[in-house]
């Protein structure tokens, strides 16, 4: 036996741990981020600061550890990704800089911290050493997680379990707490599920489950009755087909979920008509049962077709055949879209489009049948004020998250939104042209990097990169008409999976030039020290506001039973975050209802000092002054509140009665409050 015989020996089989090791290096921290996305999805979209702040600490902490401890090869960014991460970091720094000119620095700090969370999600996912298999596993966990949430909601509908808590005015708003966001979340999930279901390497039952999950997600997206979702859906579907490979397989896999959604659509839409009647539970239960039956049928059919697909050994189709099948699939897709348009428009699609367009700038009026047929919106006024704010503050904007007070003073509607309801206008209004250009540069650079992955990577990585762009498409297209930036359950998948898409195009590490060992060690330790200092500062910036938010949450829970303890908690919250006006405003309201008028006046003044444009604090200060007998101070405070919010009935009543024998009390004022 010589050397030739030895070389002919087969290579030893790798054990399970050796086979999994390359995938786990990115998979474990990546799965933690995906787990956070699912937590945010299940808890009101992660909107509450009490929910996303601790997630931001986890993400930034993991990013810092990976930056300090990971090997250079594991942390290697391509040049484009370095530019993307750098420009996103510049946007976050500019956001923090806006504290200097924001009317409410507390809100600007919170908004900047949220932007830091999104930077951490993107940079962490883009810096992990993903393999195609590991990336697909992370996306599969997201798809199954959100799909499970959808099925749980269908079971709750079928059992009539607190149906009203799942709805807002007859529209499905659970689990995100906002029906438009719910429709977007389930659309993201449906798209990811459909593309993953085309993978032959997955077991047949899992592929069938993904098909069924996609159908359930679409059913709940329809139940949200979001007009923004309806109008943007065609563009979302077209762009989704552009970015994914093997479009014919994807379109074929989408037929069952589309049919499942169509079969349950009428029952889901009918909930809207009976929401304020005694029939609500019965109608919801019927819709839930129909949806679950369709889910089961989709699972079985999808599994059978997956098995058949895996067993088939057909040769690749010729180009002419593929084009013919593609043409038929496109015709079927257009027919399905037309059928859906007929359903939601009650057989009058052109009249529906004309009515919606004419009613865009008018108050909403209710129709019959479904919310899809309602007319009117206040978005025109939101966007008008947003553009006015940008023109007035073109360079730096109003400051991060400072739109709410500005809109209240310049509005023509009766609504009091905190957000511009458009990602583009959000960037212009909050951070000016500088923030807009920097963030768009990040986005374009990241998309170019992802496009390179789609062109140059192996087939499986191309598929993963295409899937990684699907949540971003929904986030950008539908988010152009809505406020999705503020919801980590939507922004997290959009930016996190984008990070995976660009990471899969990372070049192979090149041999490094040899430098003197002492010099190399000095450079490495200097880099570690700078990185550690940077991330320590980020943790501090996040930690103290989070502790303040926690104190506010504790105080909210105990204010009814123990107002004195709640006031102490609010005081600690104000000390932990000296920029936030929220603890003082809430403490003032608690003190007023407890008869502590002097304390109420102090707390409201604290809130006014931190947010001069907050009308409620001025009203509360006036009520406290009136209760203490200082009518002149009360009138002054009421007038300032009226100059900010002239449409508030409580303020008008307070001014009308300030010099009467029976001035407005805090209890009466709180009953008159109208807050949208």
């Amino acid at each position: 036996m010589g050397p030739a015989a030895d070389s002919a020996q087969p290579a030893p089989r790798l054990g399970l741990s050796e086979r999994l090791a390359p995938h786990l290096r990115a998979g474990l921290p990546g799965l933690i981020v995906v787990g956070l996305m699912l937590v945010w999805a299940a808890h009101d979209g992660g909107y509450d600061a009490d929910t996303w702040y601790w997630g931001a600490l986890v993400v930034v902490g993991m990013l810092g550890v990976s930056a300090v401890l990971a090997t250079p090869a594991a942390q290697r960014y391509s040049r484009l990704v370095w530019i993307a991460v750098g420009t996103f970091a510049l946007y976050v720094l500019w956001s923090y800089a806006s504290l200097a000119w924001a009317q409410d620095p507390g809100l600007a700090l919170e908004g900047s911290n949220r932007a830091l969370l999104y930077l951490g999600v993107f940079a962490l996912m883009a810096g992990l050493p993903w393999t195609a298999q590991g990336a697909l596993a992370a996306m599969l966990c997201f798809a199954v997680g959100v799909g499970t949430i959808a099925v749980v909601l269908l079971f709750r509908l079928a059992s009539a379990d607190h149906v009203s808590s799942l709805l807002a005015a007859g529209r499905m708003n659970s689990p995100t707490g906002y029906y438009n966001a719910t429709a977007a979340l389930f659309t993201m999930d449906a798209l990811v599920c459909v593309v993953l279901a085309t993978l032959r390497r997955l077991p047949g039952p899992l592929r069938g489950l993904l098909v069924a999950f996609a159908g359930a997600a679409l059913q709940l997206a329809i139940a949200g009755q979001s007009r923004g979702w309806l109008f943007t859906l065609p563009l979302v579907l077209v762009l989704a087909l552009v970015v994914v490979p093997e479009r014919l397989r994807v379109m074929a896999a989408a037929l069952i979920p589309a049919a499942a959604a169509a079969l349950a659509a009428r029952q889901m839409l009918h909930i809207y008509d009976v929401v304020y009647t005694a029939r609500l539970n019965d109608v919801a239960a019927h819709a839930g049962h129909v949806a679950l039956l369709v889910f089961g049928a989709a699972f079985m059919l999808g599994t059978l077709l997956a098995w058949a697909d895996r067993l088939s050994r057909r040769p690749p189709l010729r180009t002419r055949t593929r084009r013919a099948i593609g043409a038929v699939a496109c015709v079927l897709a257009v027919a399905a879209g037309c059928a859906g348009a007929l359903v939601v428009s009650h057989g009058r699609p052109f009249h529906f489009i004309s009515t919606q367009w004419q009613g865009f700038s008018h108050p909403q009026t209710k129709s019959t049948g479904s919310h899809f047929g309602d007319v009117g919106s206040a978005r025109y006024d939101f966007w008008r004020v947003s553009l006015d704010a940008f023109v007035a503050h073109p360079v730096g904007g109003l400051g991060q998250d400072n739109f709410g007070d500005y809109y209240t003073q310049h509005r023509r509607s009766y609504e009091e939104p905190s957000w511009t309801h458009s990602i583009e206008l959000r960037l212009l209004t909050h951070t000016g042209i500088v923030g807009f250009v920097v963030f768009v540069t990040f986005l374009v650079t990241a998309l170019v990097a992802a496009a390179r992955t789609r062109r140059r990577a192996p087939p499986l990585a191309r598929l993963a990169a295409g899937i990684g762009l699907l949540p971003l498409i929904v986030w950008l297209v539908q988010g152009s008409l809505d406020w999705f930036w503020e919801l980590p359950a939507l922004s997290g998948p959009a930016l996190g999976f984008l990070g995976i898409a660009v990471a899969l195009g990372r070049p192979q590490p090149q041999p490094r030039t040899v430098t003197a060992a002492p010099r190399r060690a000095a450079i490495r330790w200097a880099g570690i020290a700078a990185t550690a200092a940077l991330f320590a500062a980020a943790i501090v910036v996040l930690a103290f506001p989070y502790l303040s938010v926690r104190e506010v949450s504790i105080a909210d829970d105990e204010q009814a039973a123990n107002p004195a303890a709640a006031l102490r908690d609010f005081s600690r919250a104000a000390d932990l975050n000296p920029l936030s006006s929220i603890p003082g405003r809430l403490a003032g309201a608690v003190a007023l209802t407890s008869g502590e008028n002097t304390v109420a006046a102090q707390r409201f003044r604290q809130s006014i000092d931190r947010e001069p444009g907050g009308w409620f604090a001025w009203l509360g200060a006036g009520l406290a002054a009136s209760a203490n007998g200082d009518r002149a101070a009360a009138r002054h405070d009421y007038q300032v509140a009226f100059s900010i919010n002239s449409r508030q009935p409580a303020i008008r009543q307070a001014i009308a009665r300030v010099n009467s024998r029976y001035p407005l009390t805090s209890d009466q004022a709180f009953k008159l409050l109208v807050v949208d």
Side-chain angles (χ1 to χ4, degrees):
M1 302 290 289
D6 290 339
S7 63
Q9 294 294 324
R13 292 176 60 88
L14 296 177
L16 179 62
S17 59
E18 289 83 358
R19 294 199 302 271
L20 291 178
H23 312 304
L24 293 180
R25 280 196 293 270
L28 288 179
L31 287 176
I32 292 175
V33 177
V34 171
L36 287 173
M37 296 176 188
L38 296 178
V39 170
W40 294 329
H43 290 82
D44 292 333
Y47 178 76
D48 294 333
D50 200 9
T51 301
W52 66 258
Y53 252 120
W54 66 265
L57 287 166
V58 171
V59 170
V60 172
M62 287 197 301
L63 183 60
V65 170
S66 66
V68 172
L69 299 181
T71 62
Q75 276 221 296
R76 186 179 179 87
Y77 288 146
S78 68
R79 182 175 300 176
L80 278 175
V81 180
W82 271 118
I83 295 173
V85 172
T87 50
F88 201 159
L90 284 177
Y91 174 78
V92 174
L93 289 175
W94 183 251
S95 179
Y96 280 114
S98 72
L99 271 70
W101 60 82
Q103 186 177 39
D104 187 345
L107 286 179
L109 175 62
E110 181 174 310
S112 300
N113 284 341
R114 189 188 290 108
L116 178 60
L117 163 63
Y118 298 153
L119 169 62
V121 169
F122 174 78
L124 179 61
M125 300 295 255
L128 292 173
W130 291 101
T131 63
Q133 294 88 341
L136 290 170
M139 296 168 181
L140 180 63
C141 289
F142 173 81
V144 171
V146 178
T148 301
I149 292 173
V151 174
V152 169
L153 290 176
L154 292 181
F155 271 107
R156 292 188 63 184
L157 278 179
S159 62
D161 180 20
H162 298 91
V163 171
S164 59
S165 66
L166 307 178
L167 309 173
R171 302 161 62 190
M172 177 64 67
N173 72 332
S174 186
T176 66
Y178 179 44
Y179 26 75
N180 294 349
T182 292
L185 174 67
F186 287 130
T187 303
M188 289 180 182
D189 187 60
L191 293 174
V192 174
C193 284
V194 165
V195 182
L196 285 173
T198 64
L199 273 171
R200 284 195 176 97
R201 64 178 59 204
L202 293 180
L206 180 55
R207 293 174 66 185
L209 189 63
L210 288 169
V211 167
F213 278 150
L218 287 177
Q219 289 168 351
L220 290 173
I222 291 173
Q225 300 193 36
S226 167
R227 289 177 293 170
W229 171 82
L230 181 67
F231 288 129
T232 57
L233 184 61
L235 181 57
V236 167
L237 296 179
V238 169
L239 292 176
L241 286 175
V242 169
V243 302
V244 297
E246 299 193 36
R247 298 180 183 90
L248 288 180
R249 287 178 57 80
V250 171
M251 294 177 71
L255 292 177
I256 296 176
L263 288 172
R266 186 173 297 276
Q267 288 75 18
M268 289 293 182
L269 295 176
H270 189 39
I271 297 174
Y272 180 75
D273 289 330
V274 299
V275 64
Y276 299 118
T277 70
R279 299 178 55 210
L280 173 62
N281 285 346
D282 292 337
V283 171
H286 178 64
H289 284 125
V290 171
L292 288 173
L293 287 173
V294 172
F295 173 83
F299 168 67
M300 290 187 289
L301 183 57
T303 301
L304 292 173
L305 292 177
W307 280 335
D309 178 53
R310 190 165 187 175
L311 291 173
S312 65
R313 292 291 184 268
R314 61 181 180 274
L317 296 175
R318 291 181 299 177
T319 302
R320 183 178 297 179
T321 305
R322 290 173 61 87
R323 288 177 178 173
I325 295 176
V328 172
C330 288
V331 170
L332 291 175
V334 171
C338 293
L342 289 173
V343 170
V344 300
S345 63
H346 305 287
R348 304 173 67 190
F350 297 107
H351 177 266
F352 172 77
I353 294 172
S354 174
T355 302
Q356 292 289 340
W357 179 256
Q358 292 176 3
F360 172 66
S361 61
H362 297 81
Q364 182 171 305
T365 56
K366 191 177 185 304
S367 69
T368 59
S370 75
H371 180 71
F372 289 131
D374 291 354
V375 177
S377 169
R379 273 176 176 74
Y380 173 85
D381 199 50
F382 301 166
W383 296 349
R384 176 189 63 82
V385 176
S386 297
L387 290 173
D388 288 348
F390 168 64
V391 171
H393 307 272
V395 177
L398 298 172
Q400 191 68 275
D401 284 19
N402 269 243
F403 175 69
D405 287 345
Y406 188 90
Y407 179 78
T408 301
Q409 297 180 59
H410 298 85
R411 62 180 174 166
R412 294 175 184 167
S413 75
Y414 282 90
E415 296 190 39
E416 295 184 26
S418 299
W419 319 114
T420 59
H421 287 66
S422 168
I423 180 64
E424 297 85 1
L425 289 176
R426 183 189 206 287
L427 293 168
L428 289 171
T429 304
H430 290 201
T431 53
I433 192 65
V434 174
F436 180 86
V437 170
V438 172
F439 189 83
V440 169
T441 302
F442 147 72
L443 202 56
V444 170
T445 306
L447 287 173
V448 171
R452 286 190 176 183
T453 304
R454 285 273 292 104
R455 290 198 311 270
R456 301 177 180 177
L460 200 61
R462 290 203 301 269
L463 178 66
I467 296 174
L469 294 175
L470 296 177
L472 181 71
I473 290 172
V474 178
W475 185 76
L476 279 177
V477 175
Q478 192 178 343
S480 296
L481 310 177
D482 227 312
W483 54 277
F484 288 171
W485 173 274
E486 292 77 18
L487 294 162
L490 301 180
S491 298
L495 297 172
F497 288 173
L498 174 63
I500 295 178
V502 302
L504 289 169
R506 179 188 293 112
Q508 294 297 320
Q510 300 297 320
R512 298 164 60 190
T513 57
V514 178
T515 58
R519 181 183 174 189
R520 186 169 63 243
I523 293 174
R524 176 171 173 77
W525 282 110
I528 290 175
T531 302
L534 181 63
F535 282 98
I539 292 295
V540 170
V541 168
L542 290 168
F544 284 99
Y546 173 57
L547 293 175
S548 175
V549 167
R550 287 296 303 149
E551 290 293 336
V552 169
S553 180
I554 293 170
D556 281 339
D557 291 338
E558 63 185 6
Q559 62 178 314
N562 193 346
L567 289 174
R568 289 193 296 270
D569 293 331
F570 283 129
S571 179
R572 282 194 293 271
D575 293 338
L576 286 166
N577 187 352
L579 297 178
S580 177
S581 63
I582 295 174
R585 185 168 66 242
L586 296 178
V590 171
L592 269 182
T593 57
S594 302
E596 300 284 345
N597 298 318
T598 302
V599 174
Q602 294 171 350
R603 295 305 180 196
F604 282 125
R605 290 297 168 191
Q606 179 190 69
S607 181
I608 290 170
D609 290 341
R610 299 180 181 186
E611 184 193 2
W615 64 267
F616 182 81
W618 285 106
L619 172 63
L623 292 171
S626 178
N628 285 328
D630 190 346
R631 295 186 176 184
R635 174 174 287 277
H636 170 268
D637 294 339
Y638 292 153
Q639 288 174 342
V640 175
F642 184 80
S643 68
I644 299 171
N645 187 357
S646 60
R647 297 177 182 269
Q648 181 56 244
I651 298 175
R652 294 199 298 268
Q653 280 290 318
I655 293 175
R657 294 169 54 179
V658 65
N659 289 323
S660 68
R661 294 180 58 187
Y662 303 103
L664 193 70
T665 66
S666 59
D667 289 341
Q668 293 169 339
F670 292 162
K671 291 178 181 178
L672 289 171
L673 286 180
V674 176
V675 181
D676 190 283

